Amino acid sequence: MPLSSNRRLAVSATLIAALAAGVVPATSAFATPVPAAATETPAVPAPDMDGVVAALNSAMNNGAPGAMARFTGPDGVRIRTAGVQDRVSGNPMDIHARFRIGSVSKTFSAVVLLQLVEEGKLELDVPVNTYLPGLLPDDRITVRHLLTHRSGLADYTNAMFEHTVPGFEAVRNRVFSYQELVDLSLSEPRTTEPGVSYQYSNANFVVVGMLIEKLTGGPVADAYERRIFKPLKLGKTSYVHPDTRIKGNHVRGYLHPDEAGGALVDSTEQTVSWAQSAGAVISSPADLNTFTSALMRGRLLSPAMMEAMTTVTPTDATNTRFYGLGLRRYNLSCGTQIYGHTGTVQGFYTYTFSTRDGRRSLSAMANTSNHGAANTALGGTLEAAFCGKKPAPAASSRAAASPSARDLTSLPAERDLPERH
């Protein structure tokens, strides 16, 4: 597929100042949270945009009709696009187009809830049932447990999308209440005791949405708009539910069936009511860059709350992937730590991450889903953008020896929804 990029002057060879990075994390999913204390790291290289292009092409080779990425840093903006955003019209991927960001929505929800904590309207370590009496069967489940995916609430999407395309078509136009989604979760066995271990579940952020609406007295859409979208001037970002459309210039999403070689399903129009505050936001690469950078720079939360949000626990045993309060942290092969979230919704994979100082950010999207190889390939944009060109093997021995530095491209992508293909 043809590639397009913005025309830019050659980047100076001078390396930018070293970025702050967190302490070396624990390796167990049962470990004590790791605070985001700062240490010095080596100077960071310029982004490898050829590597970003290679990752976009790899996502396409693994089933995505198109892909794109937008990087912002001290030297400005770099964009790369590949393939098409609409298989019928053949329109090329447009970096300005909007798309469904899936679970990246969880970070927006977390920010709103943490703002309410700062306003004294709730506390992180108080049981959820204090604010939503009788909602959950266990008074030990706290607000913090929801935001860190340590509540033990089952993820109802595992059963809902056990058969990917039929499951999606059954809910494409359906409108759920929050309570119906919670009931679906509670109908299944809990995955862990509260606070014991990380178990990703969309049900957690459904309850977060319920808390936001209870404490603000209005819909989550209004809270997002007033607290995040308008202050940051995110003109292409909106919470769309239960309308099925994406207004204006947008990318069409394509869902892979479970059967290898089956025809792609256009999944663009849907209510996303099965996710709501866990995944129904629509945005653009530029807006996502603005959001993650602003969050990391402290424009949305106080320093103390940012410290809480970026205090993480492991999500697996690789010493690379961690979760804070509605926020992922990845430790890259060059030692750089980045914060943000992944997103999966039918037809779209998204990555949006920033360095802790907010100086560099990347947003990447491929318009497919239920094809894990495409998701993993798209994740390669992170290593290329934040670590630059790979050094010669001899020069990489230091990074290879570090227990907190691992090339994410060698690991399968984390899954925000079940993957059957």
Side-chain angles (χ1 to χ4, degrees):
M1 293 290 180
L3 299 172
S4 64
S5 66
N6 59 330
R7 302 296 196 269
R8 296 191 48 81
L9 295 175
V11 180
S12 169
T14 305
L15 297 179
I16 62 176
L19 297 173
V23 298
V24 176
T27 58
S28 168
F30 304 91
T32 301
V34 181
T39 59
E40 291 299 317
T41 60
V44 182
D48 174 15
M49 298 312 294
D50 289 339
V52 169
V53 168
L56 300 181
N57 284 333
S58 181
M60 291 178 57
N61 290 337
N62 283 285
M68 61 179 167
R70 185 180 189 273
F71 177 83
T72 63
D75 294 310
V77 177
R78 321 283 185 86
I79 62 173
R80 298 292 187 271
T81 63
V84 298
Q85 68 180 35
D86 186 330
R87 297 177 71 225
V88 174
S89 69
N91 289 338
M93 187 63 70
D94 183 351
I95 200 69
H96 303 292
R98 305 171 73 220
F99 52 90
R100 299 190 184 280
I101 66 173
S103 288
V104 177
S105 306
K106 290 178 172 66
T107 305
F108 286 88
S109 296
V111 167
V112 171
L113 200 68
L114 293 175
Q115 288 178 348
L116 294 171
V117 171
E118 291 187 312
E119 294 163 14
K121 295 181 179 177
L122 80 164
E123 297 179 26
L124 287 173
D125 296 311
V126 168
V128 172
N129 284 345
T130 301
Y131 308 105
L132 299 169
L135 178 69
L136 303 180
D138 192 332
D139 286 338
R140 296 176 297 167
I141 299 174
T142 67
V143 175
R144 190 187 300 274
H145 291 151
L146 299 177
L147 293 174
T148 56
H149 291 291
R150 300 172 79 86
S151 69
L153 295 176
D155 192 342
Y156 55 85
T157 66
N158 290 328
M160 183 178 286
F161 302 125
E162 180 178 4
H163 303 289
T164 302
V165 172
F168 166 66
E169 294 294 1
V171 301
R172 182 198 281 264
N173 295 304
R174 184 169 172 181
V175 178
F176 291 91
S177 69
Y178 280 129
Q179 185 64 59
E180 285 177 307
L181 297 177
V182 172
D183 290 344
L184 286 175
S185 173
L186 296 180
S187 69
E188 301 178 26
R190 279 185 278 163
T191 58
T192 182
E193 292 295 306
V196 170
S197 66
Y198 169 91
Q199 296 288 335
Y200 190 90
S201 174
N202 286 283
N204 290 315
F205 278 79
V206 168
V207 179
V208 167
M210 297 178 77
L211 286 168
I212 290 171
E213 295 198 345
K214 175 68 177 293
L215 297 170
T216 64
V220 291
D222 291 351
Y224 291 144
E225 187 73 23
R226 181 168 59 87
R227 293 170 175 271
I228 303 176
F229 301 165
K230 283 188 176 179
L232 297 183
K233 297 180 171 59
L234 305 182
K236 292 187 176 181
T237 305
S238 55
Y239 176 77
V240 181
H241 173 265
D243 193 351
T244 62
R245 299 167 297 167
I246 304 177
K247 295 181 180 178
N249 178 22
H250 63 275
V251 180
R252 301 200 71 83
Y254 299 95
L255 178 62
H256 277 268
D258 294 339
E259 301 75 27
L264 297 180
V265 174
D266 187 325
S267 52
T268 312
E269 278 80 33
Q270 59 166 305
T271 63
V272 198
S273 194
W274 61 265
Q276 299 187 51
S277 51
V281 173
I282 292 170
S283 192
S284 70
D287 276 10
L288 290 176
N289 288 155
T290 298
F291 171 63
T292 54
S293 293
L295 176 60
M296 291 297 109
R297 289 173 185 257
R299 291 184 58 189
L300 296 171
L301 297 169
S302 69
M305 195 57 69
M306 282 305 301
E307 179 72 13
M309 192 179 199
T310 56
T311 296
V312 297
T313 54
T315 62
D316 57 25
T318 65
N319 294 321
T320 59
R321 303 194 287 212
F322 306 83
Y323 209 88
L325 302 179
L327 194 69
R328 294 194 187 279
R329 188 183 88 188
Y330 286 166
N331 292 2
L332 302 181
S333 63
C334 55
T336 297
Q337 295 178 345
I338 54 174
Y339 295 83
H341 216 288
T342 54
T344 301
V345 64
Q346 289 87 356
F348 302 92
Y349 288 129
T350 302
Y351 288 78
T352 183
F353 284 82
S354 176
T355 50
R356 181 62 184 86
D357 61 5
R359 295 184 67 202
R360 298 183 298 151
S361 65
L362 177 89
S363 293
M365 185 279 303
N367 58 343
T368 197
S369 69
N370 196 40
H371 206 287
N375 194 9
T376 298
L378 186 67
T381 58
L382 299 175
E383 286 281 338
F386 292 105
C387 290
K389 290 189 179 296
K390 294 296 181 187
S396 65
S397 57
R398 177 188 176 277
S402 170
S404 61
R406 194 78 59 84
D407 189 334
L408 289 179
T409 59
S410 66
L411 301 168
E414 290 187 285
R415 300 188 301 173
D416 299 326
L417 281 180
E419 293 279 0
R420 308 299 179 191
H421 192 299

